[in-house]
Amino acid sequence: MDGPGVAPFIYFKPMTLEKNLTATDLKLIALFLMVLDHIRLFFSYAGLVPDWFMWLGRSSLPLFMFCLAEGFHHTRDRKRYLLRLFVAFLVMEISRLLLMSALPRPDGFAIANNIFGTMFLTASAIYCLDKLWLHRNDIGHLVLYSLSLFILAPLTFFAEGGWFWVAMGVVLYYTRGNRLAQAIDYVAFSLLVWGMADSCQWMMIFAVFPMLLYGGKKGGGYKYLFYVFYPVHIWALYVLSAVFYERSAS
């Protein structure tokens, strides 16, 4: 059965808090912050885009991972969910390689963005962990899903953001029954980033506020907006950055 199958001990009594944001609201917020972040990324050579675009953008990926944890829990067909993420990953991977080959930027800038890979690995890890719990008394399933996790683990180092984001997504999923516990764990991850590197990535900590205001509802519309908007805006920004780079250099 491909429904949520989670170990009982990881659920907690939900905290009572007035929450109004839907999953759709969170995705739209994340999309806006993502665009700001990527404008700063693709046009940093010009020196005209303010740093605060990047600072605000630090909260984008965490919000998407939060929505992934919620969406994967509630989906009726987990295998189709995984397939959708995998196909999106392949499309993004092939298209970015073709685009850089057809229109290389003179400074050698490479498109490294493919969040679909990170999301696919996170959802796959959750799927295997849930299956391990559901079939904990079946040696065959234990071997199968343990081996699957063993194969997935090294792949996380090649995903956008690396193993850190996959681990964070898994933690967000398994603490989703208690928003306070989830928030504490998320803040801990943010502080861990601060200790790991001297960068502004720690500013992702501010994503905890919209997470706490999430009301548990899906929201209406825009089901496939992210799957379409993500690659299209990457392609557009890269093409514009390449064109303007050549003009500024000439």
Side-chain angles (χ1 to χ4, degrees):
M1 181 178 179
D2 289 316
V6 188
F9 59 83
I10 56 178
Y11 279 113
F12 306 90
K13 183 179 180 181
M15 63 179 291
T16 57
L17 182 68
E18 196 66 34
K19 308 160 191 170
N20 300 309
L21 294 180
T22 65
T24 298
D25 294 331
L26 293 180
K27 289 177 183 178
L28 292 176
I29 293 171
L31 281 174
F32 174 71
L33 297 177
M34 176 183 68
V35 172
L36 293 180
D37 186 41
H38 288 165
I39 290 175
R40 175 66 170 73
L41 172 66
F42 283 87
F43 292 93
S44 61
Y45 67 85
L48 300 175
V49 185
D51 288 340
W52 60 265
F53 273 43
M54 177 174 57
W55 299 341
L56 292 175
R58 299 302 88 191
S59 293
S60 176
L61 183 52
L63 288 175
F64 280 127
M65 298 303 286
F66 178 89
C67 292
L68 171 71
E70 289 294 321
F72 199 63
H73 173 78
H74 291 293
T75 186
R76 295 179 179 178
D77 192 334
R78 290 187 161 194
K79 290 182 179 178
R80 180 173 294 182
Y81 195 110
L82 288 169
L83 178 61
R84 188 162 61 241
L85 286 174
F86 183 68
V87 170
F89 163 74
L90 289 180
V91 171
M92 187 67 201
E93 196 67 13
I94 294 172
S95 65
R96 77 178 184 88
L97 293 175
L98 290 175
L99 185 58
M100 289 188 297
S101 176
L103 185 64
R105 230 170 75 169
D107 61 344
F109 176 87
I111 304 174
N113 310 83
N114 195 341
I115 192 179
F116 293 125
T118 308
M119 297 176 77
F120 171 74
L121 290 173
T122 303
S124 297
I126 293 170
Y127 182 86
C128 291
L129 289 169
D130 278 358
K131 287 294 187 180
L132 279 173
W133 174 256
L134 280 174
H135 302 286
R136 56 191 178 278
N137 297 320
D138 186 325
I139 187 63
H141 282 90
L142 287 175
V143 171
L144 172 63
Y145 292 109
S146 295
L147 180 60
S148 298
L149 285 172
F150 181 78
I151 295 173
L152 287 172
L155 297 178
T156 62
F157 289 92
F158 300 97
E160 182 179 354
W163 65 269
F164 179 86
W165 291 107
V166 175
M168 189 191 71
V170 171
V171 170
L172 287 174
Y173 176 83
Y174 284 112
T175 55
R176 60 173 302 281
N178 184 330
R179 205 67 67 206
L180 179 59
Q182 189 180 52
I184 292 173
D185 287 337
Y186 176 74
V187 169
F189 266 93
S190 302
L191 295 177
L192 179 62
V193 170
W194 199 355
M196 289 170 59
D198 183 19
S199 70
C200 66
Q201 186 59 50
W202 67 269
M203 291 185 177
M204 63 185 263
I205 198 171
F206 295 109
V208 74
F209 297 112
M211 289 180 187
L212 286 171
L213 293 176
Y214 172 63
K217 296 186 181 297
K218 181 179 179 181
Y222 311 113
K223 181 176 181 181
Y224 295 105
L225 173 64
F226 174 63
Y227 291 96
V228 176
F229 184 86
Y230 181 79
V232 170
H233 97 283
I234 291 290
W235 302 334
L237 288 175
Y238 178 78
V239 170
L240 289 173
S241 71
V243 171
F244 286 128
Y245 189 96
E246 291 196 7
R247 288 185 177 181
S248 63
S250 61

